[in-house]
Amino acid sequence: MKKRNLSFICAAALVLTMTACGKTTTTSTTSSTTGSETVTTTESTEDTDSNKQDQNTPPDKPDGDNAGQPGGGFGGSGEATQGDSANTIDSDGIYSNESYTSTGDDENALRVDGATVTLDGITVDKSSGSSSNTEDGDFYGMNATFLATDGATVTIKNATVTSSAQNGNGVFSYGSGTTVNISDSTITTTADNSGGIQTTGGGTTNASNLTVETSGNSAAAIRSDRGGGTVNVDGGTYTSNGYNSPAVYSTADISVKNATLTANNSEALVIEGENSIALENCDASGNMSDTKGTSSDENVHNVMIYQSMSGDANVGTSEFSMTGGTLTSNNGDMFYITNTNSVISLSDVTITNKDSDSYLMNICGNSAFHGWGIAGSNGAQVTFTASDQALDGDIVVDTISTLDMTLSNNSTFNGTINITDNADGGTAVSDNAVVTIDSGSTWNLTGNCTISSLTNNGTINFNGYTITLADGTVLK
């Protein structure tokens, strides 16, 4: 979301917060002055009855998801429907330098079903054929180029996997007990709904030194969907070129190390619901469209953490951590968090936002146009820890959301934090913005701030600006 004039909004928000939230206890408000001055196809609320939408009746997919794409409809079969396979391996073995192809609808080029298999130097190509039901393709691997299922354990190395088929995901791991170990391989997909590596239904994917590139819409390079699973990536490059196609889309537990993650026309990273992304020494960048992203009408961002209420991800705490590496936004807010509880930790990450008219972190409710909770009660609850971290930019928290932010281990924050009115007039909650500055850490104000409470054991450089607390105390 682009920045708006906050001068009158913040004042109104503070009054609303103080009157609606009751007493706020400030553990410490001491300060010292030592100088001048952040979700393919489907995208949690706090577990309270007032904030939680009935999970038994999820809404339709948001308008615009997969709109205009060829092939079948939505509304998966409700059971694992995987279609046919041009080639199936269902007994243990080692296969080298083989080629597997498919041109049929609802058909895998190669499927490994329940077997322990090593595939070395293989070529797998799905040049045509679409899925009759997009969600069966997304959830269960129907029409994927390569599918491992039914408890298979597959080791793939030195492979070339290509797909130009609609809903033709590259390498798909489906189901509890299924494991795909893939290394030193290339995966290329060009059509919509065709991710690079896809994990669902509790499957596991371990990937190392891959070159993955996707070009279709809703085609994340590292992708998961309903039922989630575990994804571990070490090394390689993972690039998406389509809209609604993050480098990583998580409805699983996904960890990535030593990799380059690039989304050329989408946000870089998305977490949905009770799932996670953990990055270590990665270079991640995004470039979300102002108009062509499915959720561009709601917010433009680089990292999105939310709950779609579609049923694809459990309601719960979303977790994002990043250590080392770089996080770059070419357009929009660096972090956008809505309709979920979230824990975010950053340590020694080089953060660059090339869009000056944007926020470092935007924590707020949403219009519910896409089905993301109920407008006025679909805020976010964020616990954010920065350790040995430099932060630049402004943070906004609306009155139905909360931020508990800690600067630790010699972190520095150059920016502001402000509480703003919820756009849909939702009832304000208490402790919208609680800030802790540990010894050795510094907050350099770049404008006036409104927060709930402050514990300062470090340094605040006010630079002529003020911090107004919820109890009316003005620090300067």
Side-chain angles (χ1 to χ4, degrees), residues 35-56:
S36 51
E37 196 193 12
T38 93
V39 158
T40 359
T41 58
T42 55
E43 315 293 71
S44 140
T45 59
E46 193 172 352
D47 287 337
T48 63
D49 291 338
S50 62
N51 284 347
K52 198 162 60 174
Q53 181 166 326
D54 184 1
Q55 292 296 287
N56 296 320

Side-chain angles (χ1 to χ4, degrees), residues 16-306:
L16 176 61
T17 303
M18 290 189 295
T19 57
C21 301
K23 181 178 179 181
T24 299
T25 301
T26 304
T27 305
S28 170
T29 59
T30 60
S31 58
S32 58
T33 303
T34 61
S36 51
E37 196 193 12
T38 93
V39 158
T40 359
T41 58
T42 55
E43 315 293 71
S44 140
T45 59
E46 193 172 352
D47 287 337
T48 63
D49 291 338
S50 62
N51 284 347
K52 198 162 60 174
Q53 181 166 326
D54 184 1
Q55 292 296 287
N56 296 320
T57 56
D60 294 336
K61 283 180 174 282
D63 292 342
D65 279 2
N66 310 289
Q69 296 176 11
F74 294 98
S77 303
E79 58 185 18
T81 302
Q82 297 176 321
D84 299 319
S85 179
N87 303 276
T88 299
I89 299 173
D90 56 10
S91 58
D92 298 353
I94 300 173
Y95 301 82
S96 300
N97 303 314
E98 300 284 350
S99 294
Y100 306 92
T101 63
S102 168
T103 59
D105 294 341
D106 297 341
E107 182 181 74
N108 307 129
L110 175 61
R111 181 183 301 181
V112 177
D113 190 346
T116 299
V117 172
T118 296
L119 304 170
D120 190 358
I122 65 168
T123 299
V124 190
D125 176 64
K126 185 164 180 60
S127 59
S128 61
S130 62
S131 65
S132 59
N133 186 293
T134 303
E135 289 194 342
D136 286 342
D138 291 346
F139 298 167
Y140 310 123
M142 185 170 71
N143 210 55
T145 308
F146 172 84
L147 172 64
T149 189
D150 197 25
T153 299
V154 185
T155 300
I156 305 171
K157 50 189 177 181
N158 307 310
T160 300
V161 179
T162 55
S163 170
S164 52
Q166 180 270 335
N167 210 190
N169 291 288
V171 172
F172 202 116
S173 177
Y174 172 75
S176 179
T178 298
T179 300
V180 172
N181 304 304
I182 180 169
S183 62
D184 304 309
S185 297
T186 299
I187 302 170
T188 306
T189 73
T190 60
D192 293 343
N193 294 92
S194 300
I197 55 175
Q198 173 107 343
T199 307
T200 70
T204 298
T205 300
N206 300 309
S208 63
N209 298 320
L210 303 185
T211 300
V212 175
E213 184 170 8
T214 70
S215 295
N217 297 329
S218 298
I222 300 172
R223 189 181 188 204
S224 62
D225 212 308
R226 187 164 296 184
T230 302
V231 181
N232 301 302
V233 176
D234 192 350
T237 61
Y238 305 81
T239 305
S240 67
N241 295 305
Y243 299 109
N244 309 310
S245 300
V248 183
Y249 191 101
S250 177
T251 60
D253 293 324
I254 298 179
S255 66
V256 186
K257 300 178 180 180
N258 310 311
T260 301
L261 308 169
T262 305
N264 285 317
N265 284 294
S266 178
E267 61 268 83
L269 310 164
V270 177
I271 304 173
E272 181 178 347
E274 192 179 21
N275 295 292
S276 65
I277 293 176
L279 304 183
E280 182 178 339
N281 297 323
C282 291
D283 295 321
S285 64
N287 186 28
M288 185 173 177
S289 168
D290 286 322
T291 59
K292 294 185 178 180
T294 297
S295 60
S296 295
D297 58 339
E298 196 71 53
N299 183 268
V300 178
H301 47 264
N302 195 48
V303 179
M304 180 179 183
I305 305 175
Y306 80 125

Side-chain angles (χ1 to χ4, degrees), residues 361-382:
M361 192 170 287
N362 190 344
I363 305 165
C364 60
N366 64 82
S367 69
F369 175 77
H370 296 285
W372 306 340
I374 300 170
S377 60
N378 55 5
Q381 303 79 42
V382 176

